[in-house]
Amino acid sequence: MSPTFRSDVSGPTRPLLHVWEFAVGGGHAPLALRSDWQSHARRAHAELGFQHVRFHGILSDDMGTLITHEGKALTSFFNADQVLDALLDMGIRPLVELSFMPATIASGDTTVFAYRGNVCPPRDYGEWGALIETLVRHWVDRYGAAEVRSWPFEIWNEPNLRQFWTGTQAEYFELYRHSVEAIRQVDPELVVGGPASARNEWIPEFLEFCAGQGLPVDFVSTHHYPTDTFGSQGDTEFGRAASERGVLHRQAARGREQAGSKPLYYTEWNSSSDSRDPLHDEPYAAAFVAKTALESADLVDGYAFWGVSDIFAEDYFPSVPFHGGFGLLNLHGIPKPTYRAFELLHGLGRERHEVEGAHATVDVWVVRGKGEITVLATNHAPPRHPIGAERIVVELSGTAAPLGGWIRRVDTDHANPKRAWQDMGSPEYPSEAEVGALEAASRLVDEPIAWRYGERIAVECTLPPHAVAAIRLEFA
């Protein structure tokens, strides 16, 4: 029997906040100096509505922000300014992650990633504070206080993980204290938060420390991935399979409780934390994205997917067009299924109707926009969990018959460029014509959909495993 979902669209609605458009991950800051990365970010902003971009390493040595030359400390904000100029030219703003430690003021030489970002505490917190104050004052002078007040400043990245911070929790709290004092010395209205932790950790302790020290916290930030809790970092396949359906929703609920009345930003999330996860390129990830974003809309204030592009350099730089990278767009700028999932989400209205009905793998949302109602459905389960094709029925009561109806799909047979690439023979260096064909294979297609109308509208569709479908009904 087909699962049936019902909604009375004459009834009250509640807001659907597009929190997933607040920000997107950009990877390593120097990548924003590349024209291909910039074209990817510009397209994602225009088509998906992202408001901010967050980078690692804007203070790292390869940005030249602070170095020692012939025994003298030299600052240069030229590269950082070029990154911000590029973003602002696109109409997108930075979410400023203050990391990593310039080697000249670091207390050690431990680094992370291929670009060797220093993850040690400063040798002198006063030197760190002076750098932050100088940098932020420069930006206020260059861009104006009103503009910089719209940039959230996030202190560090995942200090609860040893690979990103060799210091203790207390030393991170000291870093935050010096950072926020330096930033507020420039302008008391600038927005600062943390602890930028992995796995929802350190939130209560961080807020307790700040309250005890009288330090401002304008937002709480943390990260989560469904593979964080299950399995090891080195076994993504096991971690995904051991995960639970809806795990990020439950984690976000806990984060919301811990953050209290503070704005809550998840500044990293994805279907796994592995930058070589083949499912990142497949419809599986699109179904995960659509379901997770909509489930979290009532819990978080900002939800920043990691990341925008496969122009990404934490490990070796790849040449294979579909290599499992984090990006919404692949190396050649071809939208992956995840990109199309965000495109469907971006097209949703801002009023959400209640939906009755439940299923083990299918979820349905009914959203009202101007002159239309969209039914968005996903069919998703973690790998190795039971899932099959489902023929669903959606009934909408309390409305007149629609003028027309269309369906857009992301699944194995729709908006799936990786499959088209495999059908080509998986060329490592596709030709211009092949790139054009892959772009065409990635597109969403409007297909007419039939409906029945008596006392209510009834529409049906089949959802293959790991699918997203958006049914748009238009009204006068």
Side-chain angles (χ1 to χ4, degrees):
M1 184 176 178
S2 299
T4 300
F5 298 84
R6 299 179 175 89
S7 181
D8 180 359
V9 296
S10 67
T13 61
R14 53 193 174 102
L16 177 63
L17 303 177
H18 286 211
V19 298
W20 54 84
E21 296 174 12
F22 173 73
V24 68
H28 184 210
L31 295 173
L33 302 174
R34 294 178 55 137
S35 61
D36 51 4
W37 186 96
Q38 290 178 13
S39 71
H40 296 182
R42 187 181 299 274
R43 179 177 183 180
H45 168 64
E47 296 181 353
L48 308 183
F50 294 123
Q51 301 166 35
H52 297 83
V53 168
R54 172 181 175 266
F55 297 104
H56 295 326
I58 203 158
L59 303 179
S60 293
D61 286 351
D62 53 4
M63 289 290 286
T65 306
L66 176 64
I67 63 168
T68 298
H69 179 67
E70 296 180 350
K72 182 180 179 181
L74 301 176
T75 58
S76 171
F77 305 138
F78 184 83
N79 284 331
D81 290 348
Q82 294 301 302
V83 169
L84 300 187
D85 288 353
L87 294 182
L88 295 172
D89 182 63
M90 300 174 197
I92 194 167
R93 293 185 163 110
L95 192 167
V96 183
E97 175 198 305
L98 291 174
S99 73
F100 289 106
M101 192 62 59
T104 193
I105 62 170
S107 62
D109 57 8
T110 304
T111 64
V112 69
F113 299 139
Y115 56 81
R116 299 182 61 80
N118 190 294
V119 294
C120 301
R123 67 189 181 193
D124 182 321
Y125 284 89
E127 290 181 316
W128 167 267
L131 170 63
I132 299 307
E133 182 177 345
T134 303
L135 174 63
V136 174
R137 192 174 300 281
H138 164 75
W139 281 340
V140 168
D141 290 343
R142 179 179 176 87
Y143 299 106
E147 174 61 38
V148 181
R149 287 170 187 164
S150 68
W151 306 354
F153 284 85
E154 184 181 38
I155 311 306
W156 211 254
N157 175 71
E158 299 187 351
N160 60 313
L161 299 184
R162 189 69 179 173
Q163 60 263 45
F164 291 113
W165 180 248
T166 63
T168 64
Q169 183 186 79
E171 287 173 310
Y172 170 73
F173 291 166
E174 192 69 5
L175 188 83
Y176 182 84
R177 182 170 73 82
H178 279 80
S179 301
V180 72
E181 288 175 350
I183 292 168
R184 289 299 181 89
Q185 181 70 23
V186 176
D187 185 338
E189 294 186 48
L190 295 180
V191 177
V192 190
S197 58
R199 304 188 297 238
N200 276 36
E201 294 181 1
W202 287 16
I203 294 174
E205 301 95 322
F206 171 71
L207 291 174
E208 181 179 0
F209 168 79
C210 292
Q213 296 289 313
L215 298 174
V217 179
D218 297 308
F219 63 88
V220 170
S221 67
T222 189
H223 307 158
H224 63 182
Y225 296 85
T227 51
D228 284 342
T229 307
F230 306 96
S232 68
Q233 288 279 345
D235 192 351
T236 300
E237 183 176 357
F238 174 82
R240 281 194 312 254
S243 182
E244 301 169 355
R245 189 172 182 272
V247 64
L248 295 195
H249 175 253
R250 291 187 288 278
Q251 290 177 359
R254 186 169 70 252
R256 175 73 277 158
E257 181 179 356
Q258 292 175 334
S261 61
K262 301 285 186 186
L264 175 62
Y265 299 157
Y266 279 85
T267 52
E268 280 187 32
W269 68 281
N270 200 313
S271 57
S272 81
S273 55
D274 183 353
S275 64
R276 296 294 184 272
D277 179 353
L279 292 188
H280 283 159
D281 300 337
E282 299 177 12
Y284 171 91
F288 174 87
V289 159
K291 171 180 167 59
T292 303
L294 286 166
E295 284 182 331
S296 300
D298 292 337
L299 297 172
V300 307
D301 299 278
Y303 211 36
F305 184 82
W306 187 260
V308 69
S309 173
D310 279 352
I311 305 295
F312 191 84
E314 289 183 355
D315 299 309
Y316 66 89
F317 201 95
S319 56
V320 176
F322 294 96
H323 59 268
F326 287 120
L328 297 171
L329 294 143
N330 84 341
L331 295 171
H332 299 274
I334 297 162
K336 299 182 191 179
T338 46
Y339 187 100
R340 298 309 184 186
F342 275 105
E343 187 174 350
L344 293 176
L345 291 171
H346 182 57
L348 294 176
R350 303 284 178 144
E351 299 176 75
R352 175 177 170 182
H353 290 279
E354 295 298 325
V355 178
E356 297 179 357
H359 186 267
T361 63
V362 175
D363 293 279
V364 171
W365 293 264
V366 175
V367 183
R368 181 178 291 277
K370 186 176 181 180
E372 65 182 29
I373 292 174
T374 300
V375 175
L376 193 139
T378 62
N379 187 14
H380 172 74
R384 305 182 194 171
H385 291 226
I387 188 171
E390 299 292 342
R391 181 76 177 175
I392 68 167
V393 178
V394 180
E395 297 180 351
L396 305 178
S397 60
T399 185
L403 301 178
W406 293 266
I407 184 169
R408 288 179 158 190
R409 307 170 187 264
V410 182
D411 56 40
T412 301
D413 298 321
H414 299 85
N416 187 7
K418 180 179 177 179
R419 180 179 177 181
W421 173 70
Q422 291 170 330
D423 290 343
M424 290 176 177
S426 305
E428 184 171 358
Y429 299 98
S431 67
E432 183 177 350
E434 287 171 328
V435 169
L438 293 173
E439 171 73 30
S442 81
R443 293 174 188 152
L444 294 169
V445 177
D446 279 318
E447 302 172 80
I449 189 169
W451 70 89
R452 301 187 304 275
Y453 183 74
E455 296 180 353
R456 60 184 63 86
I457 301 168
V459 292
E460 299 183 21
C461 72
T462 298
L463 297 172
H466 313 301
V468 186
I471 301 169
R472 188 179 80 255
L473 302 173
E474 294 188 355
F475 297 87

